[in-house]
Amino acid sequence: MASGEVLIIGGGLAGTEAAWQARRAGARVTLVEMKPKKFSPAHRSASLAELVCSNSLRSRSLETAAGLLKEEMRRLDSLIMAVAEETAVPAGSALAVDREAFSRRITEILDAQGIRIVREEATGIPAGPQTVVIATGPLPSDAMARTLQGLTGADALYFYDAIAPIVAADSIDYEKTFWASRYDKGGADYLNCPMDQETYNRFVTEILDAEKVSPRAFEEIPPFEGCMPVEDLAARGRETLAHGPLKPVGLVDPKTGRRPYAVVQLRQDNAAGSLLNMVGFQTKMTQPEQKRIFRMIPGLEKAHFFRFGSVHRNAFLNAPRLFLPSLQLKRDPRIFFAGQITGVEGYIESAATGLIVGRNAARRARGEPPVLPPPATSLGALLRYIVQADPETFQPMHVNFGIFPDLPGKGGRLSRKDRRKACVDRALRHLDAWLARG
């Protein structure tokens, strides 16, 4: 591969964002994606940038770290953010998309950009001086997993990831449900299935007693907290679900004028509104048990499940041991990593690493050094966490204000809300100054 070219392995959110950024920076880009010739256990679409779990990219609000990260990405010409806005569906204060339209549009745009897309499995990494971005996601093929283990000199670490079910909208009994968002934020974008205490207690008992998918060796490792299966939450205590994904706060059932004891929420999953995603209902229950137990939910007694929940293995590398601050491999800096394989968790976080890595891969292909966003930005804070965390206890991380640098002076005395606002204001000032410097 000639100078000025970038090879990207993996066509998920990180890989497609990296391809877009590298191409916009003037590099010749080849993107290798194994679908549709081969699929991981969690993927089913031939399109690039497939959303496997939820269709939500989390909060839009600048009062949240995820909202700030989205705004920073917009200012850096993110493909993922632009298409997410183009294919958005109602989701209250969150940014959710029609997953099929989203992936299809990403694929169309990259095709039109002159990016060479190769549909075959990458089983190794080419030798030579070329710049390579590995963005295989958390489910590399067995051959690529072996390559990565040989390349890094260390075993990958593993954890659960669990997928929530999707229900056909026309199979729901709307006489027993109501549309609303908590505290009326963002409109009536969630379908709420209210439960009284007796129904809730029976529901929890059935979840705890349900037949689960037989565990294999990798499933003995605790799941990531941000994607905990519903049965694991229930096992922590009978009221855990009522204070977690089924919490009724901010909701009033218009039929009774009272707050329910618990509420199951469903969110629109496609633009047509024909599919609804069960919010927070990642699960490892068997499919027959899912059908039986989830049909106990008021309004879902005759639900048709377009997709059942499932559990799959996610892999990530020990980034603090392996990577430079630019996410280049210490032992071979021509190789960059992006996405969940680096130890970030979440759609936007994965795309964000692809954004920075794509730009720096293009710079390396031109013989230029990498440039990194300021540490006070959410992008910079996330990258710093990845490479500076304790390698002995390193775990996947969503972007959050806890990984941001401390505020100077009296910042520690501010209220939680004011501290967050100060972090956001500082981040955007630093980002804009960084962009102005070119």
Side-chain angles (χ1 to χ4, degrees), residues 124-337:
I125 299 166
Q130 68 269 32
T131 301
V132 179
V133 176
I134 298 176
T136 57
L139 292 168
S141 68
D142 290 342
M144 181 53 68
R146 288 191 294 270
T147 295
L148 294 179
Q149 288 176 344
L151 179 68
T152 61
D155 290 337
L157 307 176
Y158 296 99
F159 65 100
Y160 284 131
D161 200 3
I163 294 174
I166 293 177
V167 176
D170 61 6
S171 66
I172 294 171
D173 183 354
Y174 292 96
E175 292 297 319
K176 298 180 179 179
T177 64
F178 63 96
W179 289 94
S181 293
R182 287 191 173 90
Y183 302 107
D184 294 324
K185 288 186 176 181
D189 294 337
Y190 290 83
L191 183 68
N192 297 276
C193 304
M195 290 183 173
D196 58 25
Q197 186 171 5
E198 181 182 355
T199 303
Y200 172 80
N201 284 330
R202 287 201 312 269
F203 185 62
V204 171
T205 296
E206 293 298 327
I207 288 175
L208 292 172
D209 294 341
E211 181 182 358
K212 315 300 191 299
V213 174
S214 299
R216 291 169 284 179
F218 76 85
E219 293 172 341
E220 299 302 324
I221 297 172
F224 171 61
E225 286 288 332
C227 209
M228 183 74 67
V230 66
E231 56 272 11
D232 288 359
L233 286 173
R236 293 180 172 182
R238 296 194 66 86
E239 294 302 309
T240 302
L241 290 175
H243 293 276
L246 274 68
K247 64 179 180 288
V249 296
L251 294 168
V252 175
D253 186 343
K255 297 180 181 65
T256 65
R258 299 190 301 272
R259 187 175 81 176
Y261 189 82
V263 170
V264 174
Q265 289 195 310
L266 292 89
R267 178 181 57 236
Q268 187 173 328
D269 198 76
N270 62 347
S274 59
L275 301 175
L276 298 176
N277 189 296
M278 294 179 65
V279 178
F281 269 77
Q282 303 90 351
T283 183
K284 54 187 175 181
M285 289 186 282
T286 64
Q287 292 186 7
E289 290 287 71
Q290 290 181 53
K291 181 184 292 187
R292 179 180 69 84
I293 294 169
F294 294 156
R295 283 180 172 175
M296 294 175 61
I297 298 169
L300 302 190
E301 293 87 351
K302 297 181 179 180
H304 171 71
F305 293 90
F306 176 79
R307 182 188 72 188
F308 286 101
S310 66
V311 170
H312 55 272
R313 184 186 71 184
N314 272 6
F316 64 97
L317 296 169
N318 195 317
R321 283 204 176 105
L322 298 172
F323 299 155
L324 297 169
S326 55
L327 301 186
Q328 291 171 274
L329 191 63
K330 290 177 181 178
R331 63 190 295 179
D332 190 349
R334 75 190 177 91
I335 300 175
F336 292 79
F337 284 81

Side-chain angles (χ1 to χ4, degrees), residues 363-424:
R363 289 179 63 86
R364 186 192 180 277
R366 296 194 301 266
E368 300 172 2
V371 293
L372 298 176
T377 63
S378 60
L379 284 162
L382 191 63
L383 292 175
R384 188 178 68 162
Y385 168 79
I386 293 171
V387 298
Q388 293 186 8
D390 183 350
E392 299 301 322
T393 59
F394 181 61
Q395 285 290 314
M397 181 70 76
H398 283 300
V399 67
N400 64 84
F401 286 113
I403 64 174
F404 282 57
D406 291 336
L407 291 164
K410 299 180 180 180
R413 302 179 188 176
L414 297 173
S415 68
R416 183 168 178 262
K417 181 177 181 180
D418 287 342
R419 276 200 310 274
R420 289 186 170 191
K421 184 178 186 306
C423 282
V424 169

